Amino acid sequence: MSQLQRLTISEQQCQGRTLDLLPEQVHYLRRVLRLAPGSRFIAQDGQGQQWLATLGDKLDQAELEEVQRGGSAIAPFILIAALPKGSGFDAVVRQATEIGVTDIYPVLSQRTLLNPSDSRVSRWQRIAQEASEQSERLTIPEIHPPVSFPALLQQPALASQQYLCVARGEYPHLLTQLQKDLSAAAAVAIAIGPEGGWTPEEIAEAAVKGYQPVSLGSAILRAVTASIVALAIVAAVREPYR
Amino acid sequence: MSQLQRLTISEQQCQGRTLDLLPEQVHYLRRVLRLAPGSRFIAQDGQGQQWLATLGDKLDQAELEEVQRGGSAIAPFILIAALPKGSGFDAVVRQATEIGVTDIYPVLSQRTLLNPSDSRVSRWQRIAQEASEQSERLTIPEIHPPVSFPALLQQPALASQQYLCVARGEYPHLLTQLQKDLSAAAAVAIAIGPEGGWTPEEIAEAAVKGYQPVSLGSAILRAVTASIVALAIVAAVREPYR
């Protein structure tokens, strides 16, 4: 089925085996994907469920011919990332989605001044949805509302294994630490600082809350690149458990 | 010295301990970095050598107070990447430079139509230079002229360990393979295909030339993301040898 186009729907649109398409979805299927009556596509709910759908004659409905469950539950794979200046976070959301994160927490650190508008959060959620469809992912990562780093640390632990990436410190490399720690299908959260790095107080407070400080190596990476590098390493180590 | 700004110079500009600055460098130091006479910065030749420079009174010369050699030679770390459509390669060059590659070979695969102009190659070299300065790298990666993939394979082997990343195949994961293969400071070349993937003929021909086909995992990545993911994994495994 990998060659079929994908469309994210909500379960409320399904009545038994009939899918009621929204006007913008009809437009997308017809004008963008140029599908005709009888064409097939994959409908997915972003929660792990997917259907093989056949477009109806009037193009505003589709029949769900077949239902597939998204397999076993995916262990949380969480990116906590300080918001960079400008639009750099768009690329982080897109690439993190491709790599397979389940949750993204944009955080405001002591060195982040930006407080993003609600419209940017919806934009990131839309980017995550598009990237999920392109990557044939069954689930769309959830973009959480931006929160200050201290407030995030006050919440219950996000994962059983939590890492804080610190530049210029003498910490163990993320790869070494992961290969020492990782148990099958463990939930992992990884936090990436802003351009200027985490402050010493942030590192200390995170350590108290169970975040292991780790290094991404001797290279000096921009924050956007650091996110992708860290996620790539986590995904590679987790791969046998996917 | 990490807080000092960096400037890439050529050795021809040095006369003994005096550095003759080019007009655009004077502009950059004075107008962009706002340095005054007596200010210090790091001059680097992009080949691994760096100097602590003190700007002269007339701002068109600097005195090289101290010379640092760039340490031991860096083992080649080569990215071979099929050119994506649009400007996606700019991000690949920037992020690959941050991660630490020494050479980038843009290639035209059977599924790449784009034949880039000379001006794009100079643009990539400029991006690599800027990214090197930002990342405090002593060496600037060399951007080689675009070449067809078969022509590249006709050249002598680029590295002792060569990998071809293949999507949707049943190959060992790059991380697993690297940890099996990698000897200290070995030269590594990694090839990333275009959006549609390498063709079966390309995979077969590369295998004949010593490229081990590897997987980047079950996620479907865009070509730009795949480059960064692969380089992040190689860099993490090489880190102890840097």
Side-chain angles (χ1 to χ4, degrees):
Chain A
M1 307 200 310
S2 63
Q3 299 314 303
L4 295 178
Q5 299 286 348
R6 286 169 180 270
L7 182 74
T8 304
I9 61 165
S10 80
E11 221 170 338
Q12 287 83 51
Q13 293 177 248
C14 301
Q15 308 219 353
R17 284 176 46 177
T18 302
L19 168 67
D20 289 317
L21 292 160
L22 304 175
E24 63 266 26
Q25 292 172 332
V26 174
H27 174 86
Y28 176 72
L29 293 169
R30 185 172 177 179
R31 300 292 179 194
V32 183
L33 301 185
R34 303 202 167 277
L35 299 189
S39 297
R40 305 212 289 181
F41 62 95
I42 305 292
Q44 58 188 24
D45 71 353
Q47 311 293 315
Q49 231 179 331
Q50 62 177 359
W51 299 266
L52 181 60
T54 305
L55 206 50
D57 285 344
K58 292 179 60 191
L59 295 171
D60 61 350
Q61 285 192 332
E63 191 173 349
L64 302 175
E65 291 188 14
E66 188 186 335
V67 180
Q68 291 209 333
R69 273 257 155 224
S72 57
I74 298 162
F77 178 10
I78 298 166
L79 172 65
I80 299 160
L83 283 168
K85 277 183 258 170
S87 61
F89 209 68
D90 291 8
V92 171
V93 170
R94 184 173 294 112
Q95 294 186 300
T97 302
E98 290 173 53
I99 293 171
V101 301
T102 59
D103 295 84
I104 300 178
Y105 288 85
V107 295
L108 311 170
S109 80
Q110 291 182 23
R111 293 189 177 138
T112 318
L113 293 175
L114 182 72
N115 203 342
S117 61
D118 288 351
S119 72
R120 294 201 65 198
V121 178
S122 341
R123 176 182 164 77
W124 295 327
Q125 192 63 63
R126 223 161 40 236
I127 290 171
Q129 178 179 322
E130 284 168 16
S132 293
E133 290 169 5
Q134 280 178 17
S135 311
E136 302 175 18
R137 286 188 48 167
L138 299 181
T139 54
I140 302 174
E142 185 168 352
I143 317 291
H144 295 267
V147 61
S148 78
F149 192 55
L152 185 81
L153 291 178
Q154 291 310 315
Q155 294 180 18
L158 295 177
S160 53
Q161 292 171 205
Q162 304 180 118
Y163 302 93
L164 186 81
C165 296
V166 180
R168 303 182 192 271
E170 290 294 321
Y171 297 106
H173 194 286
L174 172 63
L175 177 61
T176 315
Q177 193 63 39
L178 274 173
Q179 289 189 319
K180 200 186 291 176
D181 293 349
L182 204 70
S183 52
V188 174
I190 187 141
I192 309 288
E195 222 50 72
W198 301 107
T199 64
E201 302 81 60
E202 286 170 331
I203 297 171
E205 199 172 338
V208 168
K209 298 289 180 174
Y211 282 79
Q212 161 79 42
V214 289
S215 155
L216 294 177
S218 51
I220 310 280
L221 305 172
R222 284 178 308 137
V224 170
T225 307
S227 288
I228 307 313
V229 164
L231 295 175
I233 293 167
V234 176
V237 176
R238 277 167 62 106
E239 181 69 23
Y241 308 115
R242 286 189 63 174
Chain B
M1 306 201 306
S2 63
Q3 299 314 305
L4 294 178
Q5 299 285 349
R6 283 166 181 272
L7 182 73
T8 304
I9 61 165
S10 80
E11 220 170 338
Q12 287 83 52
Q13 294 177 246
C14 300
Q15 307 219 356
R17 285 175 47 177
T18 302
L19 169 66
D20 289 317
L21 291 159
L22 303 175
E24 63 267 27
Q25 293 172 331
V26 174
H27 174 84
Y28 177 71
L29 292 170
R30 185 172 176 180
R31 298 293 180 195
V32 182
L33 302 184
R34 305 203 166 275
L35 299 189
S39 298
R40 305 211 290 181
F41 62 94
I42 305 292
Q44 57 187 25
D45 71 353
Q47 311 294 314
Q49 232 181 328
Q50 62 178 0
W51 298 265
L52 181 60
T54 305
L55 206 51
D57 285 344
K58 292 179 60 191
L59 296 169
D60 61 349
Q61 285 191 331
E63 191 172 350
L64 303 175
E65 290 187 14
E66 189 186 334
V67 180
Q68 291 209 332
R69 272 254 156 228
S72 56
I74 298 162
F77 177 11
I78 298 166
L79 171 65
I80 299 160
L83 283 168
K85 278 182 256 171
S87 61
F89 208 67
D90 291 7
V92 171
V93 170
R94 183 173 295 113
Q95 295 187 299
T97 302
E98 291 173 52
I99 293 171
V101 301
T102 59
D103 294 84
I104 300 178
Y105 287 85
V107 295
L108 310 170
S109 82
Q110 292 182 23
R111 292 188 178 140
T112 319
L113 292 175
L114 181 73
N115 204 341
S117 60
D118 289 351
S119 72
R120 294 201 64 198
V121 179
S122 339
R123 176 183 162 78
W124 295 327
Q125 193 64 63
R126 224 164 34 239
I127 289 171
Q129 178 179 322
E130 284 167 16
S132 293
E133 290 168 5
Q134 279 178 17
S135 311
E136 301 174 18
R137 285 188 48 166
L138 298 181
T139 54
I140 301 174
E142 184 168 354
I143 316 292
H144 295 266
V147 61
S148 79
F149 192 55
L152 185 81
L153 291 177
Q154 292 311 313
Q155 294 180 17
L158 294 177
S160 54
Q161 292 172 202
Q162 304 180 116
Y163 302 94
L164 186 81
C165 296
V166 181
R168 303 182 191 273
E170 290 294 320
Y171 296 106
H173 194 287
L174 172 63
L175 177 61
T176 315
Q177 194 64 40
L178 273 173
Q179 290 190 320
K180 202 184 289 174
D181 293 350
L182 203 70
S183 51
V188 175
I190 187 140
I192 309 288
E195 223 49 73
W198 301 108
T199 64
E201 303 80 59
E202 286 170 331
I203 297 171
E205 200 173 335
V208 168
K209 297 291 180 174
Y211 283 79
Q212 162 80 42
V214 289
S215 155
L216 293 177
S218 52
I220 311 282
L221 305 172
R222 285 178 308 137
V224 169
T225 307
S227 288
I228 307 312
V229 164
L231 295 176
I233 293 167
V234 176
V237 176
R238 279 166 59 107
E239 182 67 23
Y241 309 114
R242 285 187 65 174

